[in-house]
Amino acid sequence: LLARQGGEELQTTAKALEAVTATLKIKKTLEDAVISTATAGVELKAATAALIQAKEELAATQGSSSDCESVLDKLDTQFDARRKARQELPFTANPDYPQGTFDKWEPEAICFADERFGNTVRYKALGDGPKFVCGVDFLAKKSKNEGCLVYSVGSNNDISFEQAVHSIMGCEIHTFDPYIPKDKFVGNDIVTFHQWGFGEDNSTQGPTFKSAATVMKELHHTHRAIDIFKIDCEGCEFAVMPPLLESISKGIVNVNQLQIEIHRDAVKENTTLLEAFFAAADKANLRIFHKERNQWGCMGYLCVEYAFVNEKFLRDVNGEYVCHKV
C-alpha cells in the first residue's frame, strides 16, 4: 500500500515537473518573441530612417539637377541674346580701314573649359599654330569611354596639333592635305593621312577634293560626331566651309567644334562672303567661343583664328562645371 501510494506521488510530482518545464519553455518562447519583436522594431526604425535619408538625398540631387539645368538655360539665353545683337549690327567693309574687317564677329559664348591647345606639354601651346579648344578633359574622357574623332584639314607637314591630340586626348585623328604625298607625310605613326582636300566633290585630274559628307561616308564616320574639325588651308575656307556648314545644318554631318583661320585676302571687299559664312555658322547651331587675331604673320587683321562650338556640346561641357561633376 505504501509502495503504491509512493508511486502515485512520484507520478504526480513528475507530472508537475513536466508542467513546470512546459511553462518555462513557453516563457522562454515568449521572451524570445519579445526580444525578436524589439530587434525587429529597431531594425524597422533603422530601415525607415535610411529610407527617409535616401529620399532626402534623392530630392537634393533632383533639386541640384534642376538648379544646374536652370543655370545652363540662363547661359543659353544670354548667348542667344549676344548672337542676336551681333546679327542686327550693320556691316560694310571700309577699304581705308581693313583692320576693322572682322570687328563685327566677336565671341558670344563662354566655354568654361577652353584652352589654347597644340603642344604635347599641357598649357604651353605658344606662338602661331595652336587653336582654342573647348573641353580637352571632356574629350579625353570621351576618348576612353567611347572614342573621339578629330579632322585636321591643311597640314603642310606641321603636326604639332595632331601630336598634342594624340598625347593628351587619345582621339582618332585624320589629316587631309591634297598637296602632300602620303609617303612624304611625317605623322603616319599617329595619324591616318588622306591626300584629299575638302570642298566640292570632283573627279577631274589633279588634286582630289571631296565634300565632308563624301569623306565621312568613305571613312565610315557617317554616324559619328567630329569632335574637333580644325581647318587651316590658307584661303580655301570660303570654298570648303559653305557645303560643310550646309551639311551640318541639314543634320548630314555632326561637328562638335570647329577651329578655323579666316583670311581677309580670301574676302577682299566682298563682305557678302564673310557675312554668309557667319550666317551659315549660326544656322548650323555653332557658337563663337573664341577669337584670336593672328599677330605672327597677319598683322593682327589679315587673318583671324575663330573657334566655334556646337550648342549642345557646349552645354554638355559647361554642365560638367556648373553641375560640379569635375
Side-chain angles (χ1 to χ4, degrees):
L1 179 63
L2 288 171
R4 186 171 69 242
Q5 186 178 358
E8 290 174 352
E9 289 176 355
L10 184 62
Q11 287 178 357
T12 301
T13 301
K15 288 181 180 178
L17 184 61
E18 287 177 1
V20 169
T21 301
T23 301
L24 289 173
K25 286 183 178 179
I26 292 171
K27 182 179 179 182
K28 180 66 169 61
T29 301
L30 288 172
E31 289 175 348
D32 290 344
V34 170
I35 292 171
S36 298
T37 302
T39 302
V42 171
E43 292 176 350
L44 179 60
K45 287 181 179 178
T48 302
L51 179 60
I52 292 172
Q53 183 179 357
K55 286 182 176 180
E56 289 175 349
E57 290 176 354
L58 178 61
T61 300
Q62 290 174 336
S64 297
S65 175
S66 175
D67 292 342
C68 167
E69 293 300 316
S70 176
V71 172
L72 293 173
D73 288 342
K74 288 179 180 177
L75 286 171
D76 281 340
T77 299
Q78 185 181 76
F79 299 159
D80 287 340
R82 292 177 179 177
R83 174 191 281 167
K84 187 174 185 295
R86 182 251 297 162
Q87 290 171 336
E88 292 173 350
L89 284 174
F91 176 73
T92 303
N94 183 351
D96 296 325
Y97 184 60
Q99 295 90 337
T101 301
F102 297 97
D103 282 357
K104 176 178 176 177
W105 295 281
E106 294 295 323
E108 74 213 33
I110 299 169
C111 173
F112 295 144
D114 76 330
E115 66 181 85
R116 206 165 190 271
F117 186 83
N119 191 312
T120 54
V121 181
R122 191 83 180 266
Y123 309 125
K124 291 190 177 181
L126 308 175
D128 191 15
K131 309 292 181 182
F132 277 89
V133 172
C134 177
V136 171
D137 292 322
F138 184 93
L139 289 175
K141 183 166 59 177
K142 181 184 178 188
S143 177
K144 291 179 181 179
N145 295 335
E146 58 187 273
C148 66
L149 181 62
V150 174
Y151 279 16
S152 179
V153 179
S155 169
N156 198 29
N157 259 337
D158 178 359
I159 62 167
S160 55
F161 187 85
E162 285 90 330
Q163 288 172 324
V165 170
H166 175 75
S167 174
I168 297 171
M169 297 190 214
C171 300
E172 176 184 343
I173 311 166
H174 292 260
T175 298
F176 304 85
D177 196 314
Y179 302 108
I180 299 178
K182 184 175 177 60
D183 61 346
K184 300 295 183 182
F185 180 66
V186 297
N188 286 309
D189 57 330
I190 62 170
V191 170
T192 301
F193 179 76
H194 308 277
Q195 195 179 349
W196 309 334
F198 270 71
E200 297 288 350
D201 291 317
N202 74 351
S203 57
T204 60
Q205 292 183 345
T208 301
F209 289 87
K210 301 184 180 187
S211 67
T214 298
V215 168
M216 295 190 76
K217 182 178 180 181
E218 292 188 10
L219 298 181
H220 306 290
H221 294 160
T222 304
H223 299 294
R224 294 182 63 183
I226 303 174
D227 292 292
I228 297 176
F229 193 109
K230 179 185 79 73
I231 175 169
D232 188 352
C233 54
E234 302 303 325
C236 78
E237 56 269 19
F238 292 102
V240 173
M241 294 311 301
L244 172 62
L245 293 173
E246 183 177 3
S247 294
I248 296 173
S249 298
K250 292 180 177 179
I252 300 171
V253 174
N254 184 8
V255 174
N256 282 335
Q257 59 188 303
L258 169 69
Q259 284 74 22
I260 182 171
E261 185 172 53
I262 301 179
H263 300 79
R264 186 181 182 279
D265 285 347
V267 181
K268 299 297 183 184
E269 309 309 326
N270 186 356
T271 59
T272 302
L273 277 178
L274 202 55
E275 293 200 278
F277 168 79
F278 284 99
D282 290 343
K283 187 177 178 181
N285 296 322
L286 294 173
R287 298 192 186 279
I288 306 170
F289 74 91
H290 217 285
K291 173 184 180 180
E292 182 178 60
R293 293 179 177 272
N294 190 328
Q295 305 285 348
W296 292 273
C298 296
M299 301 173 63
Y301 67 92
L302 294 177
C303 53
V304 178
E305 298 276 3
Y306 277 97
F308 297 82
V309 62
N310 171 272
E311 292 175 6
K312 182 182 181 304
F313 181 79
L314 176 63
R315 190 178 175 100
D316 289 342
V317 173
N318 281 347
E320 293 240 324
Y321 290 81
V322 174
C323 306
H324 308 295
K325 298 179 181 178
V326 293

